[in-house]
């Protein structure tokens, strides 16, 4: 009798383990509908520049994301296919280098929901200073990433990123960079990298570039990286990730060591997807070739 019960429990556990995998495989077997593909082409500039195998990999990641994560409309917003596909595709750019051609990839395993507001949203903030004074305020936010499996986004700003020329800010890339950062166990600007040698190199390169950005921010010197990245190492990683995918040529020209580290981590080179902007000979920066878009 005990043997039968143990067998039934074993079979139940096996089915519970297998069932989600089978459902995912079935979802991935269906190609993305033409209407959803059109959204991908329209709203994700990087997709247009990709070679066919990379395009297919991104499509599969989008299917997996849509299958595994739920989207919740907030403040009366009704979630549309355009929102789901645009957010999923931009988020999946960050994990494109992890994906194989056949088997399902690891796509933000601890994320379960994306909450979308129509525009910037207000959240209560509580700060306690050294004297113990508690200040309550309400802040306008464009996006937030939580360690409990949620990302919150303003659709107005997600959509606006697609229209900006050149694109410099991207709230989806920013918040999902925080998600990757938290995979290492703490959100501190260093995602999971594997070996000690990789952490050493990452820490050296990112610390150097972070210190330089803090100096630039203090002196009001504008560069390719937004000064918001000078607020903490975690924000630096998120801001630099936006630049890596949105302004790869500019980032590689001005921060080659940082670009190298990101190439090793993301395992894609976004310069392959975008035409090189017109170089500008830049005298104040010692005559090095830079790109003039942001100055
Ligand atoms: Zn941030």
């Amino acid at each position: 009798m005990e043997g039968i019960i143990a067998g039934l429990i074993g079979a139940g556990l096996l089915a519970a383990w297998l069932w989600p995998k089978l459902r995912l495989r079935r979802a991935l077997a269906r190609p993305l509908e033409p209407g959803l593909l059109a959204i991908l082409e329209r709203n994700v500039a990087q997709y247009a520049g990709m070679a066919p195998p990379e395009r297919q990999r991104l499509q599969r990641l989008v299917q997996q994301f849509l299958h595994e994560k739920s989207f919740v409309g907030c403040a009366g917003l009704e979630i549309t296919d355009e929102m789901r596909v645009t957010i999923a595709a931009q988020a999946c750019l960050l994990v494109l280098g992890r994906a194989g051609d056949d088997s399902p990839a690891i796509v933000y395993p601890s994320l379960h929901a994306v909450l979308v507001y129509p525009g910037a949203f207000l959240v209560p903030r509580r700060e306690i200073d050294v004297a113990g004074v508690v200040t309550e305020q309400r802040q306008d936010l464009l996006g937030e990433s939580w360690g409990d499996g949620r990302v919150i986004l303003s659709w107005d700003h997600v959509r606006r990123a697609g229209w900006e020329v050149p694109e410099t800010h991207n709230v989806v890339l920013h918040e999902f960079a925080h998600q990757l950062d938290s995979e290492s166990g703490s959100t501190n600007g260093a995602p999971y990298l594997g070996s000690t040698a990789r952490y050493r190199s990452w820490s050296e390169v990112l610390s150097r570039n972070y210190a330089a950005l803090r100096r630039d921010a203090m002196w009001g010197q504008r560069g390719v990286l937004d000064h918001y990245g000078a607020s903490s190492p975690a924000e630096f990683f998120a801001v630099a990730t936006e630049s890596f995918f949105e302004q790869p040529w500019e980032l590689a020209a001005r921060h080659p060591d940082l670009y190298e580290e990101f190439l090793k981590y993301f395992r894609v080179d976004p310069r392959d997807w975008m035409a090189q902007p017109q170089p500008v000979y830049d005298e104040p920066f010692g005559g090095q070739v830079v790109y003039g878009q942001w100055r």
Side-chain angles (χ1 to χ4, degrees):
M1 186 64 183
E2 275 176 16
I4 295 172
I5 292 171
L8 285 172
I9 291 172
L13 288 173
L14 184 66
W17 179 77
L18 263 180
W19 181 238
K21 293 187 187 314
L22 289 172
R23 284 189 59 227
L24 175 60
R25 283 208 174 268
R26 210 166 53 193
L28 293 181
R30 285 191 300 267
L32 270 185
E33 292 166 24
L36 304 187
L37 276 177
I39 297 169
L40 203 52
E41 286 189 17
R42 200 166 56 236
N43 289 1
V44 185
Q46 293 87 347
Y47 179 78
M50 286 179 190
E54 261 177 334
R55 281 181 162 217
Q56 271 164 16
R57 254 190 290 149
L58 187 65
Q59 287 172 25
R60 277 172 63 83
L61 287 170
V62 169
Q63 282 173 291
Q64 186 173 344
F65 193 102
L66 296 179
H67 175 78
E68 290 177 343
K69 322 296 178 195
S70 54
F71 284 76
V72 181
C74 303
L77 183 75
E78 197 174 314
I79 297 290
T80 62
D81 281 343
E82 179 162 27
M83 293 171 192
R84 295 166 71 240
V85 172
T86 306
I87 293 167
Q90 292 183 1
C92 288
L93 285 176
L94 273 58
V95 292
L96 187 61
R98 292 181 177 185
D101 289 328
D102 298 317
S103 55
I106 297 169
V107 180
Y108 304 103
S110 56
L111 177 84
H112 53 82
V114 180
L115 282 65
V116 190
Y117 280 84
F121 47 97
L122 284 170
V123 289
R125 279 282 179 271
R126 197 163 190 256
E127 276 174 21
I128 307 176
D129 69 12
V130 281
V133 178
V134 178
T135 315
E136 303 276 6
Q137 45 179 306
R138 290 178 72 81
Q139 266 183 339
D140 253 346
L141 291 182
L142 317 182
E144 247 191 346
S145 168
W146 288 74
D148 64 358
R150 286 180 299 160
V151 162
I152 312 176
L153 297 165
S154 148
W155 172 241
D156 192 28
H157 293 83
V158 172
R159 199 173 37 177
R160 210 179 287 175
W163 294 340
E164 265 179 34
V165 181
E167 290 180 39
T168 50
H169 296 293
N170 185 308
V171 67
V172 178
L173 297 178
H174 186 103
E175 301 308 332
F176 280 87
H178 284 318
Q179 283 288 310
L180 290 182
D181 193 355
S182 67
E183 282 180 1
S184 60
S186 60
T187 309
N188 57 4
Y192 177 74
L193 296 166
S195 71
T196 314
R198 289 289 315 282
Y199 277 108
R200 197 177 304 127
S201 156
W202 183 272
S203 162
E204 214 176 276
V205 171
L206 270 82
S207 300
R208 189 165 55 234
N209 283 274
Y210 175 55
L213 184 64
R214 284 176 69 88
R215 273 195 306 276
D216 285 353
M218 199 157 52
W219 294 107
Q221 178 72 58
R222 285 178 56 74
V224 64
L225 296 168
D226 191 285
H227 288 170
Y228 185 59
S231 50
S232 71
E235 293 307 338
F236 180 80
F237 172 57
V239 161
T241 298
E242 287 179 74
S243 295
F244 182 72
F245 285 96
E246 296 284 10
Q247 301 175 285
W249 289 99
E250 290 90 337
L251 188 71
R254 290 289 282 271
H255 302 269
D257 54 346
L258 180 62
Y259 198 83
E260 265 316 300
E261 279 304 310
F262 277 26
L263 278 180
K264 280 186 268 174
Y265 174 64
F266 287 110
R267 288 185 263 166
V268 288
D269 189 345
R271 286 175 298 187
D272 296 342
W273 310 329
M274 292 181 199
Q276 185 172 7
Q278 279 299 311
V280 171
Y281 189 71
D282 194 39
E283 203 56 58
F285 284 91
Q288 56 185 312
V289 171
V290 296
Y291 300 93
Q293 306 259 27
W294 68 91
R295 293 195 58 231

